[in-house]
Amino acid sequence: MIEKRQFYIDGAWVDPAAPRDHNVIDPASEDPCAVISLGDQADTDAAVAAAKRALPGWMATPVAERIALVEKLLAVYQRRAEEMAQAMTLEMGAPIALSRSSQVGAGLYHLGNFIAAAKDFQFETSFSEAHPDTRMIHEAVGVCALITPWNWPMNQVTLKVGAAAIAGCTMVLKPSEESPLSALLFAEFMDEAGFPKGVFNLVNGDGVGVGTQLSSHVDVDMVSFTGSTRAGRAISVAAAETLKRVHLELGGKGANLIFADADDKAVTRGVRHMMQNSGQSCNAPSRMMVEAPIYDRVVEEAAAVAKSVTVGAPSEDGPHIGPVVNAVQYGKIQALIETGIKEGARLVAGGPGRPEGFNKGFYVRPTVFADVTPDMTIAREEIFGPVLSIMKFETEAEAVEVANDTPYGLTNYVQSGDTERRHRLARQLRSGMVEMNGKSRAPGAPFGGMKQSGNGREGGIHGIHDFLEIKAVSGWSAE
């Protein structure tokens, strides 16, 4: 049993004020794999106070030096990548091949993009050639609370910590209590890289405890949160009293529009993207919307692809999916699969219960429903598991209407060989991101949503901007 009962505050590992143990569950075995302590108000206050003390010095540190420390962090992360992969596989069930590639790779990718973006960014510049005596200064927001989820641990930690550090902010990280081991390891990386005392602090806790304490803390200037829309609302309410800045990256219910002229890999691509990370991604293309002339063929193909997706233990190498993170999530997914059946959707792959060969662990069968209608629960709620809903549309206008008929607005997808159609849809789909024909966004391109999928943007220069204030100074002299 791994024991991680200390917090990282003011450059040192410290004991909690009033230790309260929490078991971290291995989702493959359903047994405890680690025990951590959850913090209380005293721990939160100590971490925020350390960040507040460190803020003036860190803000005054030249940008080049801040970038250099993030470069050292990146080097430590690269050298200890296998430790990080093993931690994420244990705590949240990502298959080891996925942990080594995408889960660990996300952190490397984001830190590298922040470094490149920061080197080209002018933190101080004149307002315009016509008005050089007005100076624009990009200045750190201040003390930031960073609250991260369990599904892509290092993706979210690095998106927040890397941007905040380069911007000159100090921070308190509260990782998910479901997947805290990777974040505690990351704190070791920050310490080894040599960040000054108090710049980075970590306190474990749950949402109603440390999460609420940080969100309402008078000395916290900004909250950056990734997680459920429900929790995002609660954080916004808690933060309102102090008028702190709140940036949210929340849930999604992505529509994947497949037209008759889509390429021959579109369906396979869509199903496998949905199943990646056991469906536990906010930007998953969970609603496959198919043009009527190819609907029957697509349903048959999607079912075959889902049936070819293997489920295996996280510790086993190979391209399979693992369990979902915990019993609560497993129960929610099973209930929604049952609801889909009761409401009349046609089950064409998977279904309730564990896959064959598994009698324990939070494993879910790769599941596909056809003949889903927009009013069905599985078409409206974020399932956060390997469950795909297929819907039929007759016209482009109908596809846009149904795709936009959701409180979410994170990522939508378009599969079509018609360039003009793709350009039309890019402007009509109400989401922060639109991905077409399997093309990924450019390195450093912003990640974030509209509507109840949140606000703010993460990654690259836009992610750094989220942690900066803009100060206008008049009467600036060149002398």
Side-chain angles (χ1 to χ4, degrees):
M1 177 84 70
I2 298 170
E3 293 190 3
K4 296 283 187 178
R5 290 186 164 97
Q6 288 186 311
F7 305 147
Y8 188 75
I9 299 175
D10 207 18
W13 293 96
V14 300
D15 293 325
R20 180 162 60 97
D21 285 349
H22 169 78
N23 286 330
V24 180
I25 304 299
D26 175 356
S29 67
E30 304 184 38
D31 296 324
C33 63
V35 59
I36 62 169
S37 286
L38 302 182
D40 65 7
Q41 188 70 57
D43 302 304
T44 300
D45 289 344
V48 172
K52 185 177 180 180
R53 285 193 300 271
L55 181 62
W58 185 239
M59 287 178 65
T61 300
V63 174
E65 293 182 24
R66 299 201 298 257
I67 294 172
L69 277 170
V70 177
E71 289 177 322
K72 289 182 180 179
L73 170 64
L74 178 58
V76 175
Y77 189 117
Q78 288 174 315
R79 180 167 49 79
R80 300 182 66 178
E82 180 62 20
E83 293 175 70
M84 184 61 76
Q86 295 290 342
M88 288 188 283
T89 289
L90 178 63
E91 70 189 358
M92 53 77 62
I96 189 62
L98 180 70
S99 287
R100 287 172 176 152
S101 57
S102 299
Q103 290 278 7
V104 166
L108 297 171
Y109 180 77
H110 295 314
L111 291 174
N113 287 336
F114 284 135
I115 292 165
K119 288 180 177 179
D120 291 334
F121 181 65
Q122 296 297 313
F123 283 79
E124 293 191 19
T125 185
S126 61
F127 178 66
S128 67
E129 290 185 8
H131 299 281
D133 60 341
T134 295
R135 191 78 170 169
M136 305 302 292
I137 299 176
H138 292 82
E139 182 176 288
V141 168
V143 175
C144 297
L146 313 178
I147 304 176
T148 56
W150 47 261
N151 59 322
W152 286 92
M154 280 302 106
N155 182 72
Q156 295 308 135
V157 167
T158 56
L159 276 171
K160 298 181 191 304
V161 173
I166 285 175
C169 296
T170 56
M171 65 206 85
V172 180
L173 171 65
K174 189 209 83 66
S176 170
E177 68 275 22
E178 302 294 337
S179 58
L181 304 181
S182 55
L184 287 160
L185 185 61
F186 184 83
E188 293 183 19
F189 297 177
M190 294 290 288
D191 186 70
E192 187 174 339
F195 281 82
K197 290 171 55 176
V199 169
F200 172 86
N201 307 273
L202 182 149
V203 176
N204 279 315
D206 54 22
V208 298
V210 174
T212 299
Q213 293 158 16
L214 287 169
S215 301
S216 59
H217 203 291
V218 67
D219 289 330
V220 169
D221 300 296
M222 171 178 163
V223 179
S224 178
F225 169 77
T226 300
S228 71
T229 297
R230 175 194 54 77
R233 292 191 195 101
I235 285 170
S236 297
V237 170
E241 185 66 27
T242 51
L243 295 178
K244 56 174 56 67
R245 185 184 291 188
V246 178
H247 286 174
L248 304 171
E249 200 276 283
L250 307 175
K253 193 67 178 175
N256 185 9
L257 279 56
I258 301 183
F259 289 87
D261 61 353
D263 67 81
D264 58 6
K265 297 180 181 179
V267 178
T268 297
R269 186 167 61 237
V271 175
R272 292 198 174 277
H273 189 175
M274 179 64 239
M275 302 299 168
Q276 186 191 34
N277 204 39
S278 300
Q280 299 172 121
S281 300
C282 53
N283 64 340
S286 55
R287 293 181 294 158
M288 181 176 283
M289 298 175 55
V290 184
E291 193 171 15
I294 60 169
Y295 179 79
D296 291 339
R297 173 179 64 79
V298 167
V299 168
E300 185 177 341
E301 183 179 351
V305 174
K307 290 172 183 176
S308 74
V309 174
T310 57
V311 181
S315 59
E316 295 176 0
D317 206 355
H320 56 268
I321 67 172
V324 296
V325 71
N326 58 28
V328 171
Q329 192 65 21
Y330 178 82
K332 174 189 172 184
I333 295 165
Q334 294 300 319
L336 284 165
I337 291 173
E338 294 283 4
T339 298
I341 294 170
K342 290 176 183 177
E343 293 184 355
R346 177 161 57 101
L347 186 66
V348 297
R354 292 183 177 88
E356 186 176 350
F358 292 90
N359 58 14
K360 67 183 305 186
F362 305 123
Y363 295 94
V364 177
R365 299 170 68 191
T367 297
V368 177
F369 284 102
D371 304 344
V372 176
T373 56
D375 59 311
M376 289 181 179
T377 304
I378 58 173
R380 304 202 66 80
E381 289 194 19
E382 184 179 35
I383 300 174
F384 230 61
V387 181
L388 175 66
S389 297
I390 305 182
M391 313 166 75
K392 183 192 295 187
F393 67 85
E394 300 289 342
T395 67
E396 182 180 314
E398 178 192 357
V400 170
E401 181 181 359
V402 174
N404 287 339
D405 183 23
T406 172
Y408 299 109
L410 188 57
T411 313
N412 285 309
Y413 302 81
V414 177
Q415 319 298 328
S416 173
D418 185 332
T419 300
E420 291 186 4
R421 171 190 282 149
R422 294 199 307 272
H423 290 177
R424 282 195 306 272
L425 292 170
R427 293 179 174 88
Q428 293 171 4
L429 291 169
R430 292 284 295 158
S431 55
M433 297 167 286
V434 180
E435 296 188 11
M436 301 187 180
N437 293 344
K439 179 69 175 178
S440 299
R441 289 169 293 113
F447 186 102
M450 300 178 181
K451 302 190 285 185
Q452 292 186 31
S453 286
N455 53 48
R457 294 295 182 267
E458 294 188 308
I461 197 60
H462 296 276
I464 296 172
H465 265 296
D466 268 11
F467 289 89
L468 292 170
E469 300 277 16
I470 299 177
K471 179 185 290 183
V473 182
S474 58
W476 191 276
S477 174
E479 298 177 359

